[in-house]
Amino acid sequence: MKRSGTERKNITLIFRLLGIYVLLGMWGVILVVRLAQLQLFKSPEYRLKAEQQQVGFVELSPQRGDILDRHLDELAISVRIDSVFAHPREVVEPLQAARALAGVLDQDEHELYQRMVGDRPFVYLARKIPPRQADQVRELNLEGVYFQEETKRFYPGRDLAAHVLGFTGLDNEGLAGLEYLYNDSIKGKKSRVRLRFDAKRRRYESDARSDHSDGNTMVLNIDRAIQYISEQVLKETVLQTEAVNGSVIVMDPQTGEVLAMASYPTFNPNSFSDFDPEGRRNRAILDIMEPGSTFKMVTFSAVLNERLGDPSEIIDCDVNSLRIAGRTYREAVRPYSLLTFNQVLAKSSNIGTIKLGLRLGEETLYQYIRNFGFGEKTGIDLPGEQAGLLRPPSQWSKVSIGALSIGQEIGVTPLQSLRALSVIANGGYLVAPQVVRRILTPAGDVLYQPETSRELILVPATVAQMKEAFSLVTTEGTGKQARLIGYSSGGKTGTAQKFIEGKYSDTRFVASYLGFAPLQESVLAAVIVINEPRGPYHGGQVAAPAFKQIMERSLIHLRVPRDESPELEPLLALAPGRELPDFSSVSLKEEQIPVEQLEETVLQLIEESPSVQESQRAITVEIGTFKLPDVSGLSLRQVASRFSHLGLRLKVFGRGVAVAQRPPAGSTVSPNVVCEVFFSSTGEHASSRFDLQSAARVSTNN
């Protein structure tokens, strides 16, 4: 049957509609299957991608705990400072942004561009930039470029106590010194803040910093003023003697508290990468040397403690009276004949000391060396301390007992020597040196406080006899230039030949001085080591004057009462023929003249510093030096005004017009130095006044 045209059209339409329905049905099935696949099988993957687009993280650095001196003055602090970062997906025109930032941040344009077109959701563009740079970046108003507040370690004193403090890296992790050793305690705990963004990448929500905590505060035994004095005197001594390097330690012999520890050359921890490793070396605990004559204190103490000698006995110190295993020992300077027990120590006789050492025998001498703490670490709370070198008697040669008696065939650190000297100064106790006084939580609670460790190794009678012998060193012996004004003291000089290529050098020496003051109830003990001085090289010529400067100024700073006549008798002895003003009627009441100091703020210092990037450039601020003027004849008001203008601190003795000063006129000094000025009401003419500078020259020539 033949269908009409209309019917054929309807059938065609129906088939077309069925085809469309089938296609739509198939498409619907495909969509349902795809949706089921996405929801059931790939849901975690796409949920993660969505989370990445909507959520970001910013890591917040904690505030690293401050490091303070014993008077709570700041030695190391952390300051808030900006870092610049970018979200590459949000940067609209990365090429133009890179070009604009390159000029401000002083970075390569291509490198910045590569960072801003990468796949990472977060990239640093610059870390811990100065405030001025941060303001310039803000003015650019670049999309996708943001700021993150971080902390930067800053050392206000620059190189002050640098070897003790150490330094930190870009991520505030301690890399040396106390910063390294106590890193976990003072660095604090990092936290991550989660951010949520809308479709236009605008932040609309952030999590709280519930796990954020700042670091603990560390209080040291270091005294900022004594540390400064020690560093200043050490630097001057090394430069004047053209030595290779040197070190100084000042300690409370009663407790082992380290008030100052200095090495030269030094470095600035704000820019530590600009200095070579030798400048960053803490020589006080790392350098091992033969102690020379300073080690004789062990031999003498052992002989007295074992009752094998008496201070009143006479010892034959003739050079022809001693030979050991075919070896003839000689004196360092000149031969002696008969000396008393104390004179053997005071004049540093090698012959007399070796004879005393032979009385002890190898085992007893070795045991006393160990009792004084040699051959092992002192346990000071600083990283890298060396134990020194000490062989057991089974490895000694036939001449070792003689060599050890005078400080040869043994290696010690300056700290070990000072610890041993403190045994004499504190009444016979071996103490443990300590740098850290306490650690405080951010709330101020005491988290850690070390206990004083004391071990009795000498009887009181031995200590009293050794103090008498040490005192003779400064009045009649090799340590005359270490004699203090107004304070009693004791000490021992040391001059050690360096052992090089299998033999002792005739041209390279280590000069040292160990001393303490006052003689009774000692408050301070110090060691000064000068390595390879040129010209005069004996400890009494090189190290003893440095001890005198450090000890006198430190004792005055601590307000320790004088226990000897303050009439400048030692200085008069150094300048025969010079006339001293009459101080007999002068009141020597000590007065502190306050002076205003110009202090630069941390932000100002950062502003003036170069940009700090991954290259570890940091803040460097120099303080100039100048020549100390002559204030002879000036009134107290005039002297105070002049010193205040120069930024110096003034210690005043007496009344009237200035007649003497210390450091002497013409000395190279820096701001904040403590200067002593003696006044007299006698009204003498300037030409007849006592000149400390001339006295110092006479002392040096002698």
Side-chain angles (χ1 to χ4, degrees):
M1 183 177 66
K2 190 174 180 180
R3 295 175 180 174
S4 64
T6 303
E7 290 178 341
R8 287 197 300 270
K9 289 180 180 179
N10 291 336
I11 292 172
T12 301
L13 181 60
I14 291 171
F15 277 109
R16 287 179 179 176
L17 289 174
L18 287 174
I20 292 173
Y21 291 150
V22 170
L23 289 175
L24 289 174
M26 293 176 62
W27 180 252
V29 171
I30 292 172
L31 287 178
V32 170
V33 171
R34 181 59 175 166
L35 288 173
Q37 182 188 26
L38 293 177
Q39 291 293 327
L40 299 177
F41 301 102
K42 289 195 174 184
S43 175
E45 177 184 345
Y46 286 99
R47 186 178 292 113
L48 178 60
K49 288 184 178 181
E51 188 79 7
Q52 289 176 345
Q53 293 177 350
Q54 299 171 8
V55 177
F57 294 91
V58 175
E59 191 173 74
L60 299 179
S61 299
Q63 183 89 1
R64 191 174 179 90
D66 294 343
I67 302 180
L68 313 175
D69 83 337
R70 66 191 299 115
H71 304 298
L72 305 185
D73 289 332
E74 295 171 337
L75 297 175
I77 59 176
S78 292
V79 295
R80 293 290 179 182
I81 197 166
D82 286 322
S83 290
V84 182
F85 70 92
H87 291 304
R89 297 190 186 97
E90 301 178 38
V91 179
V92 179
E93 298 178 343
L95 183 59
Q96 294 183 8
R99 185 174 294 120
L101 288 170
V104 175
L105 300 178
D106 192 25
Q107 292 191 37
D108 182 74
E109 178 183 327
H110 179 70
E111 287 186 9
L112 286 172
Y113 174 76
Q114 291 299 322
R115 293 183 202 172
M116 287 190 284
V117 296
D119 295 331
R120 291 181 297 174
F122 175 97
V123 291
Y124 275 116
L125 302 180
R127 299 286 301 277
K128 302 179 180 180
I129 62 176
R132 184 175 301 172
Q133 278 187 320
D135 292 340
Q136 291 174 341
V137 174
R138 286 189 177 92
E139 291 174 0
L140 296 176
N141 195 26
L142 299 173
E143 286 192 54
V145 177
Y146 304 96
F147 290 89
Q148 176 183 338
E149 188 180 73
E150 294 192 278
T151 61
K152 174 178 173 55
R153 201 58 161 172
F154 181 73
Y155 303 89
R158 292 162 290 275
D159 56 356
L160 187 74
H163 298 94
V164 174
L165 299 174
F167 47 84
T168 63
L170 188 63
D171 292 318
N172 280 343
E173 292 290 326
L175 301 179
L178 293 172
E179 296 275 28
Y180 169 78
L181 188 64
Y182 288 91
N183 183 66
D184 291 342
S185 179
I186 63 177
K187 72 177 182 180
K189 184 180 179 181
K190 290 183 178 180
S191 62
R192 297 184 70 189
V193 177
R194 189 171 67 170
L195 309 176
R196 288 192 175 273
F197 301 92
D198 60 17
K200 294 184 178 181
R201 298 296 296 173
R202 293 175 298 192
R203 187 175 66 188
Y204 67 88
E205 182 182 286
S206 63
D207 290 349
R209 308 178 187 181
S210 57
D211 59 343
H212 184 81
S213 63
D214 291 335
N216 299 310
T217 298
M218 184 184 300
V219 182
L220 308 184
N221 289 316
I222 296 292
D223 186 303
R224 185 184 178 95
I226 297 178
Q227 179 72 32
Y228 183 83
I229 292 168
S230 300
E231 291 184 8
Q232 180 194 44
V233 173
L234 176 63
K235 178 181 179 180
E236 291 176 353
T237 303
V238 171
L239 295 180
Q240 289 173 3
T241 61
E242 300 181 17
V244 175
N245 51 59
S247 59
V248 168
I249 311 173
V250 181
M251 189 170 79
D252 182 343
Q254 310 295 336
T255 62
E257 295 177 358
V258 176
L259 279 70
M261 179 179 287
S263 297
Y264 189 85
T266 187
F267 72 101
N268 185 343
N270 291 307
S271 54
F272 67 90
S273 60
D274 295 339
F275 297 82
D276 59 54
E278 284 299 303
R280 302 197 298 261
R281 182 179 179 85
N282 188 349
R283 302 184 180 281
I285 62 173
L286 294 176
D287 282 5
I288 299 175
M289 61 181 183
E290 284 194 348
S293 294
T294 56
F295 194 76
K296 292 175 181 177
M297 63 179 169
V298 177
T299 306
F300 279 77
S301 298
V303 169
L304 290 173
N305 215 52
E306 294 294 316
R307 299 182 180 180
L308 298 175
D310 186 270
S312 63
E313 72 173 293
I314 303 298
I315 300 174
D316 184 4
C317 299
D318 189 279
V319 294
N320 297 318
S321 64
L322 179 66
R323 286 179 65 84
I324 301 178
R327 178 177 176 179
T328 301
Y329 286 87
R330 301 188 181 280
E331 301 291 5
V333 180
R334 62 183 179 87
Y336 302 102
S337 54
L338 300 178
L339 296 176
T340 65
F341 183 93
N342 285 352
Q343 286 177 330
V344 173
L345 181 64
K347 298 183 181 298
S348 201
S349 168
N350 289 337
I351 304 302
T353 305
I354 293 173
K355 285 187 173 183
L356 293 173
L358 291 173
R359 297 181 187 180
L360 294 167
E362 292 182 349
E363 291 295 338
T364 303
L365 177 59
Y366 175 77
Q367 189 56 53
Y368 271 92
I369 293 173
R370 296 286 300 187
N371 290 348
F372 272 86
F374 294 105
E376 63 183 13
K377 297 180 180 180
T378 67
I380 191 171
D381 41 356
L382 287 172
E385 182 191 10
Q386 298 297 303
L389 301 172
L390 175 62
R391 297 175 298 158
S394 60
Q395 299 178 17
W396 291 8
S397 69
K398 293 182 179 180
V399 300
S400 291
I401 188 171
L404 283 161
S405 297
I406 59 174
Q408 296 178 345
E409 292 192 16
I410 183 174
V412 308
T413 65
L415 181 61
Q416 287 176 322
S417 295
L418 182 59
R419 184 192 189 196
L421 175 76
S422 296
V423 173
I424 309 299
N426 66 27
Y429 293 88
L430 187 70
V431 297
Q434 298 171 346
V435 174
V436 177
R437 191 175 187 85
R438 64 177 65 94
I439 296 178
L440 307 175
T441 66
D445 299 324
V446 177
L447 182 66
Y448 165 75
Q449 185 166 345
E451 296 181 357
T452 300
S453 173
R454 290 163 59 92
E455 178 186 356
L456 185 66
I457 65 172
L458 295 179
V459 300
T462 298
V463 173
Q465 292 166 344
M466 284 299 298
K467 283 188 174 183
E468 182 180 351
F470 272 136
S471 176
L472 200 64
V473 172
T474 64
T475 56
E476 300 181 15
T478 57
K480 291 180 180 178
Q481 293 193 53
R483 189 176 180 185
L484 308 181
I485 299 175
Y487 296 99
S488 61
S489 68
K492 184 70 188 76
T493 59
T495 308
Q497 293 173 281
K498 301 192 74 170
F499 195 75
I500 301 173
E501 296 180 354
K503 63 179 181 179
Y504 285 99
S505 172
D506 293 328
T507 58
R508 298 167 70 178
F509 302 87
V510 177
S512 59
Y513 188 86
L514 285 166
F516 56 90
L519 197 62
Q520 309 299 331
E521 303 298 329
S522 302
V523 174
L524 295 178
V527 58
I528 293 90
V529 177
I530 306 298
N531 184 26
E532 295 189 27
R534 299 180 64 179
Y537 59 84
H538 290 100
Q541 299 171 299
V542 176
F547 169 84
K548 172 184 172 65
Q549 293 184 61
I550 293 171
M551 193 61 67
E552 285 181 347
R553 292 161 66 178
S554 298
L555 291 171
I556 290 173
H557 164 71
L558 295 176
R559 301 184 181 276
V560 177
R562 286 175 166 81
D563 62 342
E564 284 193 350
S565 172
E567 295 180 354
L568 306 183
E569 293 172 353
L571 287 181
L572 182 59
L574 292 176
R578 307 282 301 184
E579 184 178 349
L580 270 175
D582 181 13
F583 283 92
S584 59
S585 60
V586 176
S587 171
L588 291 180
K589 180 181 179 182
E590 184 179 316
E591 301 178 23
Q592 177 82 30
I593 304 298
V595 295
E596 295 181 356
Q597 300 286 333
L598 177 62
E599 297 182 354
E600 299 146 308
T601 66
V602 171
L603 287 181
Q604 285 174 329
L605 293 173
I606 294 175
E607 281 285 351
E608 296 168 2
S609 70
S611 176
V612 183
Q613 308 296 343
E614 283 80 350
S615 62
Q616 274 299 320
R617 296 181 188 137
I619 304 156
T620 303
V621 180
E622 299 294 337
I623 291 183
T625 59
F626 51 88
K627 298 293 185 181
L628 188 66
D630 186 356
V631 296
S632 300
L634 300 183
S635 67
L636 174 58
R637 183 181 296 276
Q638 291 171 320
V639 173
S641 175
R642 179 170 296 189
F643 279 19
S644 175
H645 178 72
L646 295 173
L648 300 171
R649 296 188 181 278
L650 178 61
K651 291 285 186 178
V652 174
F653 303 92
R655 300 180 183 278
V657 296
V659 295
Q661 65 188 85
R662 185 171 60 238
S667 300
T668 301
V669 296
S670 302
N672 208 34
V673 170
V674 178
C675 298
E676 301 175 352
V677 179
F678 297 85
F679 292 82
S680 173
S681 57
T682 57
E684 297 179 359
H685 191 271
S687 62
S688 66
R689 294 191 186 98
F690 182 71
D691 187 346
L692 288 177
Q693 189 173 13
S694 299
R697 286 198 294 267
V698 173
S699 170
T700 303
N701 293 335
N702 287 342

